[in-house]
Amino acid sequence: MASYHFKCKDIGMNCQYEASAKKAEDLIPQIAEHAKTAHNITEINDDLKQKVNAAIKRRLF
Ligand SMILES: [Zn+2]
């Protein structure tokens, strides 16, 4: 079973936030919510989306 992990600091934020989910698609809303509440980023543009996608790591168990 694979899982997907995201660390906010991997996109250059000075932030300890981490998220994980079983599907990458499930991770995006969590990251979007965090970006809004913690970093005042209300809109994830293509540039940021690319950074986020690049920072998502897939792990196998
Ligand atoms: Zn953050």
Side-chain angles (χ1 to χ4, degrees):
M1 178 81 88
S3 63
Y4 294 83
H5 300 261
F6 170 81
K7 286 183 183 158
C8 207
K9 67 177 164 64
D10 287 349
I11 59 164
M13 297 290 191
N14 182 19
C15 176
Q16 296 303 306
Y17 174 78
E18 294 184 28
S20 61
K22 290 206 165 69
K23 288 187 286 183
E25 307 91 90
D26 293 343
L27 209 46
I28 302 296
Q30 292 184 42
I31 296 165
E33 184 63 25
H34 167 74
K36 193 162 63 178
T37 56
H39 302 297
N40 263 319
I41 299 167
T42 51
E43 194 192 344
I44 300 200
N45 62 28
D46 286 348
D47 190 49
L48 186 57
K49 209 181 281 177
Q50 274 186 6
K51 276 192 192 173
V52 168
N53 279 325
I56 290 174
K57 305 259 187 338
R58 186 171 181 267
R59 274 188 221 158
L60 291 169
F61 281 80

